[in-house]
Amino acid sequence: MSKTGFLLVGHGSTKPYNKQLIENTAKLIAQKEKDYIVKCAFMENSTPSIPEIIETFRNEDIDKMLVVPLFLARGVHIDVDIPEILGIPECGHRGTFKTAKGEIPLVFASPIGDNPMLADLMISSAKNALKEYL
């Protein structure tokens, strides 16, 4: 049975906790969504890189490729750099991905943006800070 390739992309950092956050998030996604083959990669400053991990998906039994940035907002990485790596137009969201079995659809998701769940997370963080530090 084919699955969806799910590449979670983080910005990357020289600090190890950034990589750990992305890796832990990828593991949580994999636990929650059994129809996804989940891997993570980084734009810069951390490994593996997006091109390195993209190559590992070529031999997976997938029928769709989904690239999801764990970024808050659009910027040069979202609009230009990652689309270029994926071979899709600047500011684009759709393309194709070549696997060992042939071409499949590729989708590049938008960053988190102003999702209402972000406000809920910030409220939760604020409440936790008041309990812990006040």
Side-chain angles (χ1 to χ4, degrees):
M1 182 175 106
S2 285
K3 295 190 174 196
T4 298
F6 187 115
L7 175 56
L8 183 66
V9 175
H11 182 275
S13 172
T14 57
K15 304 295 183 191
Y17 46 81
N18 175 278
K19 183 174 182 174
Q20 291 167 352
L21 177 124
I22 302 298
E23 290 173 339
N24 290 343
T25 302
K27 287 177 189 171
L28 290 169
I29 293 166
Q31 290 169 1
K32 292 175 181 261
E33 297 291 334
K34 299 301 181 197
D35 290 336
Y36 291 158
I37 296 174
V38 183
K39 301 179 185 190
C40 61
F42 302 90
M43 185 61 222
E44 57 188 40
N45 299 318
S46 296
T47 58
S49 69
I50 298 168
E52 289 171 331
I53 291 301
I54 283 284
E55 283 303 312
T56 70
F57 277 105
R58 295 201 192 279
N59 292 313
E60 296 284 2
D61 186 17
I62 56 176
D63 58 9
K64 293 179 281 306
M65 184 66 201
L66 178 59
V67 180
V68 180
L70 206 165
F71 284 54
L72 287 177
R74 290 178 48 214
V76 72
H77 290 325
I78 297 296
D79 290 345
V80 179
D81 299 337
I82 297 172
E84 182 179 321
I85 292 167
L86 299 176
I88 61 176
E90 192 171 299
C91 297
H93 293 279
R94 292 187 291 182
T96 58
F97 181 69
K98 292 180 184 172
T99 70
K101 293 184 177 182
E103 283 194 359
I104 60 172
L106 178 140
V107 175
F108 179 42
S110 295
I112 295 166
D114 59 358
N115 186 311
M117 290 176 15
L118 187 59
D120 293 339
L121 288 171
M122 295 299 92
I123 292 167
S124 175
S125 181
K127 288 179 180 179
N128 288 340
L130 288 171
K131 287 179 189 171
E132 189 171 342
Y133 304 121
L134 189 60

